[in-house]
Amino acid sequence: MEFSKTGLLTALSVHDIEYALCEYYGIRKHIIVPNVSWGFFREHEADLVVITQANYLTEIEIKRSWRDFLKDFRKDSFHSDNRITEFYYCVPECMVEACKHFLYDDPTLELKYGKIGLISYSEDKNICFERDGRKRVSLQLTTKEVLEVARLGVLRFWDTRRKLDTGHNEELVRRLRGQIEFLKAEFKAVAGYDIKEEL
């Protein structure tokens, strides 16, 4: 699609983009959870968080329109938390140049909002880092914090599963089963034992 300051700039859904990011980062190597807010962040909601095996957190904000991208910079609270090691906007490839000008031409923006990286996605779901290495001074997550994010992911799984049990499609059920197996493996990697041993 061509860049426009109004309307959606992609035919992809937010879930399509989340799946592409999960595939890029690797759900077998990282804990990846969408829509993290209450229970972890106080001031904002993260579209997607990725926790590395070394317990560092990356936050990714997914945008599908120019207006939605600009809206973040008018909010009272921004994506500021001393546990965020890297912060990225993930935008349609047609928006990349406009985002680069907005984010990087004005040096005062980084002073106000911190370091911001940029990821683009194409309509065939290819992920490209347009500006990476935007490390912030951050804290390593504690094991308790890692497990809290994983717990929020599991809560989302059960909420979705309850909705599915009332009659939704089988493809989503298959995906959710894969996610629960992944979360079990991540729990074992972090805690050092199988989740069933805890029960």
Side-chain angles (χ1 to χ4, degrees):
M1 293 188 178
E2 290 184 20
F3 176 67
S4 167
K5 291 192 173 182
T6 60
L8 291 181
L9 295 169
T10 178
L12 299 178
S13 70
V14 171
H15 290 174
D16 291 331
I17 301 160
E18 287 171 345
Y19 294 135
L21 288 164
C22 286
E23 190 172 308
Y24 180 87
Y25 276 98
I27 60 170
R28 297 193 181 280
K29 290 178 17 181
H30 300 90
I31 294 175
I32 304 173
V33 179
N35 306 108
V36 175
S37 58
W38 60 269
F40 194 75
F41 293 119
R42 292 181 185 168
E43 304 269 329
H44 74 282
E45 178 180 17
D47 287 346
L48 195 75
V49 297
V50 178
I51 300 176
T52 67
Q53 292 176 344
N55 293 358
Y56 287 102
L57 185 144
T58 294
E59 179 184 349
I60 302 171
E61 270 300 292
I62 296 169
K63 299 299 178 187
R64 299 188 305 148
S65 74
W66 179 248
R67 281 185 177 172
D68 191 29
F69 171 74
L70 292 180
K71 199 185 311 179
D72 267 24
F73 298 91
R74 292 192 291 266
K75 293 178 181 174
D76 290 335
S77 62
F78 195 72
H79 304 268
S80 303
D81 189 293
N82 62 2
R83 297 168 295 179
I84 300 170
T85 301
E86 293 183 57
F87 176 76
Y88 292 94
Y89 278 103
C90 183
V91 301
E93 59 186 352
C94 65
M95 249 173 76
V96 167
E97 291 308 312
C99 289
K100 283 181 179 177
H101 290 301
F102 182 87
L103 292 172
Y104 308 131
D105 285 355
D106 180 357
T108 62
L109 193 122
E110 185 175 309
L111 292 172
K112 184 174 181 181
Y113 296 109
K115 295 181 178 180
I116 299 172
L118 191 59
I119 302 169
S120 69
Y121 57 87
S122 63
E123 290 303 294
D124 58 0
K125 303 177 191 171
N126 283 331
I127 298 296
C128 178
F129 277 74
E130 302 292 339
R131 178 134 176 184
D132 59 2
R134 310 293 290 157
K135 303 262 187 225
R136 298 174 172 199
V137 176
S138 67
L139 299 174
Q140 187 178 33
L141 298 182
T142 64
T143 300
K144 181 178 179 182
E145 289 171 324
V146 171
L147 290 173
E148 182 60 21
V149 173
R151 184 185 75 81
L152 293 172
V154 171
L155 287 174
R156 184 154 290 107
F157 163 81
W158 287 111
D159 183 51
T160 304
R161 185 169 177 186
R162 182 175 32 254
K163 291 174 186 172
L164 289 172
D165 285 343
T166 60
H168 289 65
N169 74 40
E170 293 177 312
E171 173 63 19
L172 196 47
V173 171
R174 185 187 63 74
R175 288 179 183 165
L176 289 172
R177 285 185 178 143
Q179 288 175 354
I180 197 92
E181 289 306 312
F182 163 74
L183 289 170
K184 285 181 187 176
E186 289 302 313
F187 180 87
K188 183 176 181 180
V190 171
Y193 57 89
D194 285 330
I195 197 165
K196 58 188 168 194
E197 294 172 20
E198 175 84 348
L199 301 175

